[in-house]
Amino acid sequence: MAHDLPVHVTQDPSHGYTRLPRHVVRHPDLVVGFDARREDEPISARMYGPAVPAVSGSEHTVTLRVLPGEVRALAARLRRVWKDEFVALRPVGADGLPRGAPFPYASRVDLTGEPGDELRAALDRLALYGSQLLFDVLLGGEDEALKLFRGFLTDALTRAAPLRVRFHSDLFLPWPMLCLPAVPEEPEDPSLTAVFARFLGYRHQIEQTGGHAYACVADDREPPSRAAPAVSLNHDTAVDAAGLTRAAEVAAALAAGGDLVERTTRDELERALRDRSLDEQLMYFWCHGHFTASGDEAPYLVLKLTDQLAIDGYTLRAHRPPPRACVPFRPFVLLNACYAGLPGNADLAYLGRALFDAGACGVLGPQIEMPQRFAAEYALAFVTRYLTGEETAGAIAHSLTRHFADTWHNPLGLAYALHSGMDSRLERTA
């Protein structure tokens, strides 16, 4: 005889079919890993994902011919080239004297009025060195295994359709600024679109994980329900005090998109971090920074708000309680810090790692000394779209890179790198 059995539901991961469980994630189209555990040993590489064919049912692996130190040195050189030969470029006339406005690529966002030949030459130079780092140094070599690995990766990255690419690496490199090699047998295309299309960040959505710079385990607890997203503006009010950028519009967009908290001192930030009920979905930093070092450490970024007191990774770790002692805290962080100099051996992942330790689901920030005008323009476009809750951070960053390149001929969107968080999306209540 049939009997009805009593049923008690102990878990409802879909919340009544209103959302997917947190453990259900969309995997990238391509994952490329670079392991650099020892400075005196060559880097090992691997890749897998639907964008590359499977080899004997396993992932592609190869030992490279380069040491980690050489790759880091060339990455630092690439960042310097972007700063010295693009951001700080001063055009000269036939007489050898500076002409026009000083630093036109730093003082303007719209570069469509700049001489096309001069701009194309600058972009070609950036692309040349971006390709050199990836293909001549990191993946350089002529043995058969390496050539096969390089060929599969090149075939995947040259596809017309954008991919979702994760670089899981102990090496912190400016992946969106790296480039595909030029094709010698093809006639040179004089358009700017042709050179932009060589940059990985123009073609694909890219995030970097690895080196412990990502959240290891997702927090499945539910945050407190909110009528509007909690967002914060952590800034130095002296940055652009004359109002020459769109920073005020960024603040207005943050206020319109959620419950805004404004912080201008280190004490305010520390008190917020100590708060076990802190629950912010978006944290925006607009401030100055400088690089400092302790002992033999690589220089790391230190932020300063209006009170000019130093804020670094140790500050975040010292004041944030253990994650399980707090309400779920998974903010996306836009780190728009202006700094005066970038040392060649700087640890750009340092502050990001501390933010991930504090609970961040993703960190987006510039890889070079970013001009304030462009930084504010980029931030306004990003936060306005992210706060709608309709797009992921990776999709927005990729779209903005293409927008600035295609519409205004400006490559600086490529200099923003996403540390994890490619699929981060603001969850808004109905």
Side-chain angles (χ1 to χ4, degrees):
M1 178 180 293
H3 295 279
D4 291 333
L5 298 177
V7 176
H8 175 61
V9 179
T10 59
Q11 294 185 14
D12 183 15
S14 67
H15 282 233
Y17 301 102
T18 59
R19 67 169 176 82
L20 291 175
R22 289 182 185 270
H23 287 303
V24 176
V25 297
R26 182 183 173 197
H27 293 284
D29 302 304
L30 177 64
V31 177
V32 189
F34 295 96
D35 297 326
R37 303 299 174 85
R38 290 174 57 102
E39 292 297 318
D40 59 346
E41 292 182 355
I43 299 165
S44 60
R46 65 191 187 282
M47 65 178 169
Y48 59 90
V52 291
V55 177
S56 302
S58 182
E59 62 184 13
H60 300 256
T61 60
V62 70
T63 300
L64 305 182
R65 297 292 176 264
V66 64
L67 297 178
E70 182 180 355
V71 177
R72 292 193 184 95
L74 196 59
R77 181 180 183 276
L78 178 63
R79 295 186 181 102
R80 284 198 304 273
V81 169
W82 274 71
K83 193 270 182 181
D84 296 340
E85 302 189 30
F86 187 83
V87 174
L89 183 67
R90 300 196 69 176
V92 296
D95 56 1
L97 298 176
R99 61 169 179 78
F103 313 119
Y105 300 158
S107 58
R108 301 187 180 101
V109 176
D110 184 353
L111 304 182
T112 55
E114 298 302 313
D117 292 344
E118 189 175 86
L119 181 57
R120 172 61 192 256
L123 293 175
D124 281 337
R125 191 176 302 111
L126 301 182
L128 172 65
Y129 291 124
S131 174
Q132 179 191 42
L133 172 54
L134 180 57
F135 287 96
D136 296 344
V137 176
L138 186 60
L139 299 175
E142 293 302 319
D143 63 277
E144 291 303 315
L146 187 49
K147 288 167 62 177
L148 187 65
F149 186 96
R150 187 170 61 232
F152 279 127
L153 180 59
T154 304
D155 288 344
L157 294 176
T158 52
R159 292 184 185 179
L163 300 176
R164 297 166 62 257
V165 183
R166 172 179 299 155
F167 287 100
H168 186 77
S169 173
D170 296 322
L171 295 167
F172 189 80
L173 302 182
W175 301 104
M177 297 158 59
L178 305 192
C179 285
L180 296 169
V183 182
E185 59 269 19
E186 291 185 358
E188 184 175 352
D189 187 339
S191 70
L192 293 178
T193 302
V195 65
F196 278 127
R198 292 179 56 195
F199 287 91
L200 301 191
Y202 181 90
R203 301 184 74 96
H204 308 294
Q205 291 187 43
I206 295 176
E207 70 173 357
Q208 166 153 345
T209 59
H212 305 296
Y214 69 103
C216 297
V217 180
D219 192 335
D220 285 339
R221 296 174 300 157
E222 282 300 305
S225 60
R226 303 187 60 91
V231 300
S232 65
L233 169 60
N234 308 273
H235 67 138
D236 177 357
T237 56
V239 176
D240 187 33
L244 301 178
T245 75
R246 303 186 72 179
E249 295 176 60
V250 179
L254 290 169
D259 293 333
L260 176 63
V261 175
E262 183 177 353
R263 305 185 188 104
T264 59
T265 67
R266 185 178 68 181
D267 181 64
E268 290 173 330
L269 180 61
E270 290 175 345
R271 280 191 280 112
L273 292 171
R274 289 194 297 268
D275 185 356
R276 295 173 184 265
S277 63
L278 180 64
D279 172 33
E280 292 181 356
Q281 286 72 55
L282 177 63
M283 299 183 74
Y284 177 57
F285 286 85
W286 173 253
C287 55
H288 281 303
H290 70 275
F291 287 87
T292 188
S294 299
D296 295 332
E297 291 182 321
Y300 54 85
L301 183 62
V302 174
L303 305 181
K304 293 183 178 181
L305 305 183
T306 305
D307 61 0
Q308 296 300 296
L309 297 178
I311 300 167
D312 60 16
Y314 293 108
T315 306
L316 301 178
R317 293 188 177 100
H319 293 277
R320 189 68 188 147
R324 285 288 168 178
C326 310
V327 302
F329 179 62
R330 298 277 291 152
F332 185 86
V333 181
L334 177 52
L335 192 59
N336 236 355
C338 316
Y339 42 84
L342 179 59
N345 60 336
D347 182 0
L348 290 183
Y350 166 83
L351 190 58
R353 283 192 293 266
L355 288 166
F356 281 109
D357 290 344
C361 64
V363 179
L364 178 64
Q367 293 283 292
I368 63 172
E369 301 168 41
M370 189 62 64
Q372 287 186 16
R373 287 182 185 271
F374 186 88
E377 192 80 38
Y378 186 97
L380 178 61
F382 185 91
V383 302
T384 301
R385 292 172 62 168
Y386 189 77
L387 286 170
T388 66
E390 298 174 357
E391 300 176 87
T392 62
I396 297 171
H398 182 233
S399 176
L400 289 182
T401 295
R402 288 198 163 190
H403 165 73
F404 287 117
D406 294 340
T407 305
W408 289 340
H409 298 172
N410 196 321
L412 290 178
L414 294 160
Y416 278 83
L418 185 58
H419 315 162
S420 193
M422 182 166 60
D423 295 322
S424 296
R425 185 199 301 268
L426 185 76
E427 295 185 11
R428 300 190 72 100
T429 57

